[in-house]
Amino acid sequence: MKKFKKFYIETTSICNLACSFCPPTHRKSQFIKVEDFIKILDDIKPHTDYIYFHVKGEPLLHPKIDQLLDISHEKGFKVNITTNGTLIRKAGPKLLGKPALRQMNFSLHSFDGHEGSTDREGYIGSILSFVREAVASSNLIVSFRLWNLTKDNETNLERSRNRATLEMIEQEFGLDFRIEEKVVPGSGFKLAERIYLNQDHEFEWPSLSAPEDDGRGFCHALRNQAGILVDGTVIPCCLDGEGVINLGNVYDTPFSEIVEGERANQLYDGFSRRIAVEEMCRKCGYRKRFGGVE
């Protein structure tokens, strides 16, 4: 039976921002129903212990996120949440004290990625206030993400934007140096106990309209990760935000059968030979990050 280190459950396809780096979903806007969430957890229990409330959409928008966390704990799962952080002031009380919550990733680049963002100080301040309380009262791990570096180094605009954000973080944690001097793109930097910052190049979602290469390479899809979209569609990885590689639907077929189905096995076996058999995979740059080796 396949076991996954990461299992993505999309709790909503709706987002409150329109970031330049994140293509809008063309799927139906919806929130996962509590009864459907319970069914999915029971279905995937033999396959994973860690779930992520994210593929597309903003998880803090879900009106019953506190209930989803309670159910996750009852079922024996640990939860990781990736959020743009804009709703943390309102949603924060629903998260505090939840034993299922293992880690929160704050995509701080969302502020500058969304045209019309205002009050950087209030945005960062609200996140830091939540983190301060959450870390003091639990074992929560926190990761601040600034994934907006360009391939040919940063532009002056990016540097000035990031400097304003990083300065607030430096003040919060009493750092006597500039974070840029210490952080290596793509790797984490420890700010305090269980609190990290990560800077990286801008995230690129794979697209069928992107150019295709020879398909050589390796990916951990269906090896250490899998996912389920809010409508029940099973996907091989967290980058298939539109469900292009539709492996089946958990509301029609048990996950254990879907993940051992013909399409799933062809994808898995293909990467065992360092070949991407799916068109979407041949147009995904993340495959090259592994250098063709597991």
Side-chain angles (χ1 to χ4, degrees):
M1 181 172 290
K2 290 188 174 76
K3 293 278 289 187
F4 303 101
K5 294 179 182 178
K6 302 177 180 180
F7 204 109
Y8 296 85
I9 301 176
E10 185 182 65
T11 53
T12 180
S13 56
I14 306 167
C15 190
N16 61 321
L17 300 184
C19 296
S20 58
F21 55 81
C22 186
T25 181
H26 299 292
R27 296 180 283 117
K28 177 183 177 182
S29 297
Q30 62 186 111
F31 294 103
I32 198 167
K33 297 177 181 177
V34 170
E35 58 268 29
D36 290 337
F37 183 72
I38 292 172
K39 180 190 183 307
I40 288 174
L41 292 194
D42 288 339
D43 210 14
I44 68 171
K45 183 56 184 173
H47 298 277
T48 192
D49 297 316
Y50 296 94
I51 53 178
Y52 292 67
F53 284 5
H54 186 67
V55 177
K56 299 293 277 293
E58 168 52 52
L60 299 194
L61 275 172
H62 200 293
K64 297 182 179 178
I65 191 169
D66 48 349
Q67 194 172 344
L68 300 184
L69 285 168
D70 288 339
I71 294 167
S72 299
H73 178 62
E74 292 167 11
K75 301 288 185 180
F77 291 94
K78 287 296 184 181
V79 176
N80 300 271
I81 293 177
T82 297
T83 172
N84 59 45
T86 57
L87 304 173
I88 196 63
R89 189 184 296 274
K90 179 180 180 180
K94 294 183 177 182
L95 308 177
L96 291 171
K98 297 300 183 185
L101 188 56
R102 172 186 174 271
Q103 179 168 334
M104 288 203 58
N105 306 311
F106 291 96
S107 299
L108 302 184
H109 48 278
S110 301
F111 183 86
D112 292 311
H114 175 73
E115 187 176 349
S117 291
T118 59
D119 189 15
R120 184 190 305 272
E121 189 172 341
Y123 167 68
I124 300 296
S126 293
I127 293 173
L128 291 175
S129 177
F130 169 81
V131 169
R132 202 178 302 128
E133 183 174 359
V135 170
S137 60
S138 71
N139 292 319
L140 182 70
I141 300 168
V142 174
S143 174
F144 299 123
R145 295 176 174 179
L146 268 175
W147 291 358
N148 58 3
L149 303 181
T150 56
K151 298 296 182 183
D152 55 351
N153 213 340
E154 297 174 88
T155 65
N156 288 331
L157 178 59
E158 283 170 339
R159 276 198 294 268
S160 63
R161 287 172 169 176
N162 286 347
R163 178 90 297 270
T165 295
L166 293 173
E167 191 170 305
M168 285 182 264
I169 293 174
E170 289 162 1
Q171 291 176 355
E172 172 71 17
F173 295 99
L175 304 184
D176 58 0
F177 55 84
R178 287 196 167 199
I179 289 174
E180 299 98 320
E181 299 169 0
K182 302 282 187 178
V183 175
V184 176
S187 63
F189 175 79
K190 187 174 182 178
L191 296 169
E193 190 65 30
R194 290 180 279 113
I195 304 176
Y196 303 86
L197 183 137
N198 181 285
Q199 281 196 279
D200 207 341
H201 297 105
E202 184 173 304
F203 184 88
E204 293 182 17
W205 288 89
S207 169
L208 290 178
S209 61
E212 188 173 320
D213 58 24
D214 62 5
R216 298 293 301 178
F218 178 79
C219 181
H220 291 282
L222 296 183
R223 289 178 190 270
N224 73 2
Q225 67 167 284
I228 298 176
L229 298 180
V230 68
D231 64 358
T233 299
V234 175
I235 54 176
C237 74
C238 62
L239 299 183
D240 188 5
E242 290 300 287
V244 173
I245 306 175
N246 184 342
L247 301 176
N249 194 293
V250 289
Y251 301 139
D252 302 323
T253 309
F255 177 79
S256 296
E257 291 183 23
I258 293 174
V259 80
E260 293 295 349
E262 182 179 2
R263 190 173 187 180
N265 281 329
Q266 285 179 348
L267 184 149
Y268 184 98
D269 294 341
F271 280 124
S272 295
R273 305 190 308 272
R274 292 358 186 208
I275 291 291
V277 300
E278 291 281 351
E279 180 184 1
M280 175 68 83
C281 299
R282 294 194 295 271
K283 297 180 175 182
C284 178
Y286 272 70
R287 169 172 42 87
K288 299 177 182 178
R289 290 194 172 193
F290 303 109
V293 295
E294 187 170 355

